[in-house]
């Protein structure tokens, strides 16, 4: 089983970016934790970040036939990107939407996710642990059914 972790804009700055909201854990540290846990549970993971919407769209498209589940923190594109949403629908893979912060406790423009209606489920507000929880959830997504 292969799981693709995709991270959107500004997540490369985790650790220094608004630590009171996102914590002090860097994206590299999150990736290391995910890779470690993946070995333990016996799944393969790929972990990527881009500040470019088009690159994220391309990665979603290319995931078809190569990955079983996508874990997506689309960051600010969550709230704006019809292109990312269309890519999710186009590939038909189960996508788990994640966020580090509880977006519903924050500004109103973060309450709306264009991804949510086309995602399998959401994990929101657990800090860096949102990634670990998504990894655990991914295994069950394929074990049970890919359809929500
Ligand atoms: C985020 C929440 C988004 O609203 C924000 O634009 C981010 C990070 C999160 O993980 O909490 O960049 O996706």
């Amino acid at each position: 089983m292969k799981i693709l972790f995709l991270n959107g804009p500004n997540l490369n700055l985790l650790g220094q970016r608004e630590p009171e909201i996102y914590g002090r854990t860097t994206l590299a540290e999150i990736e290391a934790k995910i890779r470690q846990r993946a070995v333990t549970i016996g799944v393969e993971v790929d972990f990527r970040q881009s500040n470019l919407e088009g690159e994220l769209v391309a990665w979603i498209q290319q995931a078809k036939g190569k990955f079983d589940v996508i874990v997506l923190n689309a960051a600010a594109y969550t709230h704006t990107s019809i292109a990312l949403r269309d890519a999710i629908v186009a590939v038909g893979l189960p996508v788990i939407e994640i966020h580090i912060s509880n977006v519903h406790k924050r500004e109103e423009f973060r309450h709306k996710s264009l991804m949510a209606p086309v995602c399998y489920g959401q994990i929101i507000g657990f800090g860096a642990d949102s990634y670990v929880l998504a990894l655990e959830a991914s295994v069950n997504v394929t074990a049970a059914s890919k359809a929500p």
Side-chain angles (χ1 to χ4, degrees):
M1 180 185 181
K2 291 184 81 171
I3 303 159
L4 176 61
F5 282 78
L6 292 183
N7 293 282
N10 301 306
L11 293 173
N12 54 314
L13 299 179
L14 283 180
Q16 14 161 333
R17 171 194 182 205
E18 298 178 273
E20 66 289 354
I21 295 174
Y22 299 113
R24 299 235 172 243
T25 311
T26 65
L27 195 61
E29 287 165 346
I30 292 173
E31 178 177 356
K33 202 169 176 184
I34 287 299
R35 291 198 178 278
Q36 208 174 22
R37 183 76 189 129
V39 170
T40 311
I41 60 179
V43 297
E44 278 183 58
V45 293
D46 199 341
F47 199 96
R48 305 177 198 168
Q49 188 274 333
S50 179
N51 293 324
L52 306 179
E53 187 177 18
E55 189 161 36
L56 293 162
V57 168
W59 285 341
I60 292 171
Q61 290 180 5
Q62 291 156 14
K64 198 174 170 70
K66 298 200 187 88
F67 292 92
D68 300 292
V69 178
I70 298 173
V71 174
L72 175 66
N73 186 348
Y77 290 143
T78 304
H79 319 297
T80 63
S81 179
I82 298 169
L84 279 179
R85 178 191 169 121
D86 284 352
I88 293 169
V89 174
V91 296
L93 286 171
V95 175
I96 300 176
E97 174 183 350
I98 69 166
H99 298 286
I100 294 165
S101 64
N102 182 348
V103 285
H104 299 290
K105 278 189 188 167
R106 301 179 62 197
E107 303 95 328
E108 204 165 331
F109 65 83
R110 295 185 203 276
H111 298 180
K112 173 87 179 163
S113 164
L114 297 188
M115 309 300 123
V118 297
C119 284
Y120 185 94
Q122 294 173 305
I123 296 172
I124 294 173
F126 292 87
D129 283 348
S130 291
Y131 286 82
V132 180
L133 293 169
L135 177 62
E136 309 283 347
S138 297
V139 177
N140 295 328
V141 167
T142 42
S145 153
K146 287 186 183 179

